[in-house]
Amino acid sequence: MTENHPQETSLFERYVNPELGELTRRIGLDKAYVWGKDCILRDAEGNEYLDFLAAYGALPFGHSPKPLLDSLASFRDTLEPIFVQPSALQASGELARRLLEIAPGRFKSVTFQNSGAETVEAAIKACIAATGRRRILAARNSFHGKTLAALSATGNAKYQDVFFAPLPGFDFVDFGDAQALHEVLASKPGEYAAVILEPIQGEGGIRVPPPGYFQAVRAACDEFDVRLIIDEVQTGLGRTGRLFAIEKEGIQADCLLIAKALGGGVMPIGACLLGERAYSEDFQLKHSSTFGGNSLACRIGLRVLDLLLDRDSPLLANVLENGAYLLDRLRSMARKYSNVIAEVRGEGYLLGIEFNVGRESFEPYFGSFLGIIAEQENLVPLIAGHLLNVGRVRVAPTLNGANTLRVEPPLIATRADCDRFLQALEHTVAVVAAGNTGALIAHLVDGEPLQRQSQSTSASRPQPSSGIPRFGFILHPLELNNYREFDESLQNFSDEALLRMEERLNPLLEPFHVSSIQLQSPDGSRAEGDFIMVPRSAAQLAKMPVEEAAALIEDAMAIALRRGAQLIGLGGHTSIVTGGGIRVAGKGVPITSGNTYTMLSAIEAAGIALETTGRSFSQVRVAVVGATGSIGSAIARLIAVKAHRLVLVGNPRSARFNLPRFTGVIQQIAHYAATGVAYDPGSVLDCLAKRLAAGESVEQVAQAVLDDNSPGATLRYNNELEEELRQADVVLVATSSTERFIEPEFIKPGAIICDLSRPANVSHAIARQRQDVLVIDGGIVEAPGRASLGSRFGIPEDLCYACMAETMMMTLDKVFRDASLGLDLDNRDLELFPLLAQRHGFRIAGLRSFDQALEPGRWQSFLAQFEHARPHRKIGEPA
């Protein structure tokens, strides 16, 4: 196993916000900045970054603006009181007067708060007090803050639901649709206190309304006597190249909200400007704030206005000019990379780049992960991470418009800064447009990117057919190489890099549909099915709390059900963590773990290999590793029909708990002997059946086996893995371990090892060091007509795992019931699946070793050590 490489966590993640800290770490945005000046940030390692985010617009003059820091320092000399409530606050009055002078329209007073969200709260309260009404109308995908009333006006359920928001009385309408807004107001005349809107939706994806929208909104508000709140927390004070974005609309707001830039990036402050229609005595007397309007914040606000309104400064003109330049260049970039950029929007230094990416954007097997990441709205965060770590430019996604990248530099950003940003962005966009997942995430995992350009494709995924039986099959990555197979852009990644990718990015992903298959049986039966991926490794599933893992698998099942599944199969560790399917059974759809046919096909493959060496199960010592598990115990039961010497091998790590488990397995074998099943003379089952025939009970027979357990016993058990491997001629491995723990030095010369475990348990070193040992993959099956799985799962697309085949053959035969569930496989399933396999054309797909067709030279080399080997016999041709 590759050594685990945990990512170092910051103090912020450990002590402030573990969830947000973990998310930013996973996507590479967890920088600790130690220095900032103008548009540049520097981390502890001395790396410099161009800041084109500007604290979501709160840094109009960039980092550490000297005039504002000087204003802060002046308080040491003047000793002006900062917090004196209540009193005639001089600085507060001065700032309010200045704001009323420069505001677009006529306003009566200003109330100060400490943030944008508080300013929204104040406006809502003011309008409710002024009108005596309680309903508020906001726009969908808006963002007004995260305090409770502001959150209630924020049009995104993702941020509201957990807090039981919105509060009663908050309604929503599409942004930009004035007719719809008019209809809502008309539907409840006399109930709405206010409409609250942003001039440009920021977190909603930098959405610019159509011309004339706000004039129509103003008219509707006037018609129904509703107050209009214009939220300029993000757009106000120069962001769009105008002092206020609403200026170009030429309308009068009843409340105008300012924050972010008013503090100049050094102090939090917000201001709510109230017009005559929003002003009331009740609000003025009953709304207050301990820190609102403090002298320090207001002095900073005054200095900010001085700098913005300096007639000798070209600041706002530059924002207009450079903003138009950025918009033009970005739209050219969008035309060049039209397969991934849908639209560029915005004004001034508030721009948004919307990405539209899916798996159909790229050729098959190149860009697969990138497409999935995009479909689950994780692409833009990774783009931001790539820009930060590779391009050394800082940007971020918008919160509500998850597919939109926000471009929001400080107002002081120069044309040269814009060009530097554009150059870095185009490099990243070119990587995305090529579908080069490896190049996009290489910086996160120390991976070696593949320098290859993908070709766009318009290929679409097949949709379910009507009236044809359908299954869903749930699987997960089994080996690190699965990632390279699934997305060829990861071909150059080492195992260590893939493991880091797995650890860092898998937890960000939800289950997804991978591919579909169409089947036709030799008897004419048809079926279709879908493969649904749970993006967690076996080790990750094993580490998760059982409830959490089961919930994730149920999410995958829900995808299959939406696509019409009438039966769901579980593959790999999805079966193990659900107790052989027990934990997810009874959810309205039949479940199969696939364990029965997996076990049957593995025994068949091992028997073919053994027979070709000139031996039979009656002549060799057979060991079942993992015999206390579901598949292992069933293998032991069936092998006992033929084998004359059988040892059950348990997990040495749980040796002290294994005796009751061994007892249960031995009792199962004895019960099987009592069913009258046919068995070979001299076999384990024959020996047990004779004792039963002599009058001993199943329990007595099992106890006798447990009491004997001598080296020469027909049936025995042991926790010493190495001891048994050194003596076994045939080893069948079926464990829940995620490690390759069977090493070359343990194995007896001439041994055949059939590894059913997924992930596999046999070390690759055996293939290199032990030419006298044969390792075969258990449970690899050829489907009827060599039907294609439509994706790669560690085997060729026209082969499948036996657990998949069990689900397929049940669907072809319309056997829609639970099967192979739990730890004790049903004898009726042991009888059913060989019949179904024969009827519908499933068969062993030749002999395979370590996920590859067994090479003829390797096969002949192994056979050469057996006197009675039959090398002339053809094993089924591998695909």
Side-chain angles (χ1 to χ4, degrees):
M1 291 292 291
T2 306
E3 183 182 354
N4 191 1
H5 293 270
Q7 302 152 41
E8 184 178 352
T9 58
S10 66
L11 294 175
F12 176 86
E13 180 176 345
R14 275 180 272 173
Y15 304 123
V16 180
N17 193 327
E19 302 301 325
L20 181 60
E22 178 186 355
L23 177 60
T24 56
R25 170 170 51 82
R26 290 190 183 281
I27 60 179
L29 295 178
D30 59 328
K31 300 293 180 186
Y33 300 103
V34 299
W35 181 93
K37 185 75 174 74
D38 298 333
C39 296
I40 301 299
L41 288 166
R42 187 182 298 158
D43 64 21
E45 287 73 40
N47 300 308
E48 291 194 349
Y49 306 86
L50 177 65
D51 187 355
F52 255 47
L53 181 58
Y56 307 108
L59 302 175
F61 313 114
H63 299 274
S64 307
K66 188 177 184 303
L68 300 185
L69 294 182
D70 288 345
S71 292
L72 286 175
S74 70
F75 274 76
R76 292 181 307 184
D77 302 322
T78 65
L79 299 181
E80 181 178 3
I82 297 174
F83 300 117
V84 187
Q85 293 278 19
S87 68
L89 302 173
Q90 182 66 22
S92 175
E94 292 178 24
L95 179 58
R97 182 178 60 189
R98 292 284 301 279
L99 289 172
L100 293 173
E101 289 172 351
I102 65 173
R106 296 177 59 83
F107 294 92
K108 182 176 177 65
S109 70
V110 181
T111 179
F112 290 105
Q113 288 75 37
N114 307 290
S115 69
E118 287 183 42
T119 304
V120 171
E121 296 272 344
I124 290 173
K125 289 170 64 179
C127 293
I128 290 173
T131 62
R133 306 170 185 171
R134 60 178 302 173
R135 301 196 78 88
I136 303 294
L137 183 60
R140 296 186 181 95
N141 285 321
S142 61
F143 185 86
H144 299 289
K146 292 182 178 177
T147 53
L148 196 52
L151 182 62
S152 294
T154 291
N156 191 326
K158 178 170 71 173
Y159 298 103
Q160 295 175 325
D161 290 349
V162 70
F163 302 108
F164 297 98
L167 295 170
F170 284 81
D171 300 317
F172 299 92
V173 68
D174 287 343
F175 183 67
D177 188 341
Q179 180 60 37
L181 183 142
H182 184 277
E183 290 172 1
V184 171
L185 295 181
S187 69
K188 296 182 176 67
E191 294 188 29
Y192 283 100
V195 170
I196 181 169
L197 296 169
E198 303 157 90
I200 298 173
Q201 282 196 332
E203 304 303 338
I206 319 300
R207 301 282 177 181
V208 180
Y213 172 67
F214 275 97
Q215 286 87 351
V217 168
R218 178 72 268 180
C221 288
D222 290 342
E223 180 180 349
F224 296 102
D225 193 26
V226 174
R227 308 305 179 257
L228 176 58
I229 303 170
I230 298 297
D231 181 349
E232 292 241 26
V233 167
Q234 188 163 195
T235 56
L237 301 184
R239 177 55 45 191
T240 63
R242 300 176 180 84
L243 202 56
F244 295 93
I246 202 66
E247 288 176 19
K248 72 172 187 175
E249 302 295 335
I251 65 163
Q252 167 78 52
D254 296 302
C255 298
L256 183 66
L257 314 185
I258 310 165
K260 291 191 185 295
L262 185 60
V266 299
M267 284 297 296
I269 183 174
C272 173
L273 280 65
L274 299 175
E276 287 282 358
R277 299 174 72 245
Y279 183 93
S280 72
E281 182 179 325
D282 280 339
F283 175 78
Q284 295 295 324
L285 293 176
K286 295 174 182 177
H287 175 83
S288 62
S289 168
T290 300
F291 301 116
N294 70 81
S295 299
L296 183 58
C298 289
R299 292 295 176 198
I300 293 296
L302 285 163
R303 192 72 181 102
V304 165
L305 296 184
D306 289 341
L307 296 172
L308 285 173
L309 298 170
D310 184 351
R311 294 185 179 181
D312 296 327
S313 170
L315 188 66
L316 297 187
N318 284 343
V319 171
L320 272 176
E321 183 180 346
N322 290 337
Y325 172 74
L326 277 172
L327 193 62
D328 179 68
R329 289 286 305 277
L330 289 171
R331 284 177 172 165
S332 295
M333 196 180 300
R335 289 189 291 271
K336 181 177 179 180
Y337 300 105
S338 58
N339 68 316
V340 293
I341 298 180
E343 188 180 8
V344 178
R345 302 179 291 268
E347 293 181 4
Y349 275 176
L350 181 60
L351 304 174
I353 306 163
E354 183 179 345
F355 288 82
N356 182 19
V357 178
R359 277 171 278 182
E360 68 278 359
S361 302
F362 315 111
E363 66 182 78
Y365 303 124
F366 200 86
S368 302
F369 277 122
L370 198 152
I372 290 161
I373 288 166
E375 289 167 7
Q376 298 195 9
E377 298 188 341
N378 287 310
L379 175 60
V380 173
L382 284 177
I383 288 174
H386 187 272
L387 271 167
L388 183 67
N389 291 276
V390 178
R392 297 286 193 258
V393 173
R394 186 168 185 260
V395 289
T398 55
L399 289 180
N400 296 350
N403 293 321
T404 300
L405 187 71
R406 173 207 312 270
V407 181
E408 197 167 357
L411 304 185
I412 61 170
T414 64
R415 179 65 61 89
D417 293 329
C418 294
D419 286 333
R420 177 181 167 184
F421 158 73
L422 289 165
Q423 182 179 8
L425 177 67
E426 180 152 18
H427 176 260
T428 298
V429 171
V431 167
V432 174
N436 200 332
T437 312
L440 184 67
I441 67 172
H443 67 279
L444 293 174
V445 298
D446 296 328
E448 180 65 30
L450 183 68
Q451 301 303 320
R452 171 177 175 261
Q453 295 298 310
S454 171
Q455 298 298 316
S456 299
T457 176
S458 58
S460 60
R461 285 169 279 170
Q463 295 301 308
S465 302
S466 175
I468 295 180
R470 194 169 196 88
F471 69 86
F473 190 83
I474 314 301
L475 68 162
H476 65 90
L478 296 171
E479 306 282 352
L480 290 173
N481 195 50
N482 292 162
Y483 297 114
R484 300 186 189 99
E485 295 172 326
F486 190 69
D487 192 325
E488 293 175 356
S489 72
L490 304 174
Q491 283 180 356
N492 285 0
F493 276 29
S494 66
D495 283 356
E496 291 79 6
L498 288 173
L499 183 58
R500 287 191 286 270
M501 179 192 80
E502 186 176 78
E503 293 169 344
R504 185 184 281 266
L505 298 182
N506 277 10
L508 299 178
L509 297 176
E510 300 298 326
F512 56 88
H513 171 250
V514 181
S515 63
S516 300
I517 187 173
Q518 297 178 333
L519 297 162
Q520 182 160 343
S521 166
D523 74 357
S525 302
R526 295 173 62 197
E528 294 182 354
D530 300 302
F531 298 98
I532 312 298
M533 181 69 70
V534 173
R536 303 292 187 276
S537 69
Q540 288 173 319
L541 286 171
K543 289 177 183 177
M544 294 171 68
V546 170
E547 296 79 8
E548 186 178 334
L552 193 64
I553 291 162
E554 287 183 27
D555 289 343
M557 291 169 56
I559 297 173
L561 286 171
R562 287 196 294 271
R563 296 182 63 84
Q566 297 161 277
L567 173 72
I568 289 179
L570 302 174
H573 252 61
T574 70
S575 171
I576 292 169
V577 299
T578 57
I582 294 293
R583 291 189 180 94
V584 293
K587 304 292 184 180
V589 63
I591 299 291
T592 175
S593 71
N595 286 344
T596 303
Y597 191 59
T598 295
M599 176 266 301
L600 291 168
S601 60
I603 292 175
E604 183 181 352
I608 291 171
L610 182 63
E611 181 185 348
T612 310
T613 67
R615 299 174 291 172
S616 69
F617 281 114
S618 65
Q619 299 170 300
V620 298
R621 185 184 182 93
V622 181
V624 179
V625 179
T628 58
S630 175
I631 297 179
S633 62
I635 287 174
R637 200 185 320 166
L638 290 192
I639 286 288
V641 171
K642 302 177 180 181
H644 287 213
R645 288 175 293 169
L646 174 62
V647 59
L648 313 176
V649 184
N651 185 346
R653 296 178 183 175
S654 58
R656 60 182 177 145
F657 304 109
N658 282 347
L659 184 58
R661 298 169 181 169
F662 284 132
T663 302
V665 175
I666 292 168
Q667 286 178 347
Q668 286 178 348
I669 296 172
H671 272 294
Y672 196 47
T675 63
V677 65
Y679 46 77
D680 292 351
S683 66
V684 171
L685 225 59
D686 185 20
C687 296
L688 299 182
K690 286 176 179 176
R691 300 188 70 153
L692 291 168
E696 293 184 51
S697 68
V698 167
E699 289 73 20
Q700 289 172 326
V701 170
Q703 190 60 50
V705 171
L706 291 164
D707 292 343
D708 181 0
N709 205 42
S710 62
T714 301
L715 175 61
R716 59 190 303 273
Y717 60 93
N718 198 348
N719 291 309
E720 298 300 325
L721 175 67
E722 296 178 23
E723 176 184 324
E724 295 302 334
L725 290 178
R726 289 190 173 97
Q727 302 178 67
D729 301 292
V730 176
V731 182
L732 293 111
V733 186
T735 82
S736 60
S737 173
T738 62
E739 300 178 2
R740 292 183 179 269
F741 58 85
I742 297 181
E743 298 291 346
E745 62 269 23
F746 304 157
I747 313 303
K748 180 181 179 179
I752 296 170
I753 306 174
C754 183
D755 192 353
L756 292 80
S757 303
R758 295 293 179 270
N761 294 153
V762 178
S763 169
H764 283 100
I766 293 178
R768 298 189 298 269
Q769 301 175 22
R770 296 296 301 272
Q771 296 299 304
D772 61 333
V773 171
L774 178 67
V775 177
I776 60 175
D777 300 335
I780 308 299
V781 176
E782 182 181 309
R786 305 297 290 270
S788 174
L789 301 181
S791 193
R792 301 166 179 170
F793 304 112
I795 50 177
E797 289 182 63
D798 56 355
L799 300 183
C800 62
Y801 292 110
C803 52
M804 295 176 176
E806 181 172 312
T807 311
M808 294 173 184
M809 63 179 71
M810 288 180 69
T811 307
L812 282 166
D813 218 65
K814 299 182 181 178
V815 180
F816 297 131
R817 64 166 174 83
D818 290 339
S820 301
L821 295 189
L823 299 178
D824 185 10
L825 298 183
D826 195 320
N827 287 336
R828 66 173 179 161
D829 290 339
L830 294 174
E831 296 172 0
L832 172 66
F833 290 118
L835 297 176
L836 293 185
Q838 184 176 12
R839 180 183 304 163
H840 296 297
F842 292 87
R843 61 183 181 181
I844 299 297
L847 294 185
R848 297 179 62 80
S849 183
F850 294 105
D851 296 327
Q852 300 292 327
L854 185 61
E855 296 177 1
R858 177 75 180 84
W859 181 227
Q860 296 303 325
S861 174
F862 174 73
L863 289 179
Q865 62 190 308
F866 300 99
E867 181 180 355
H868 300 292
R870 287 174 276 178
H872 62 280
R873 181 182 176 190
K874 289 187 177 180
I875 308 299
E877 290 292 331

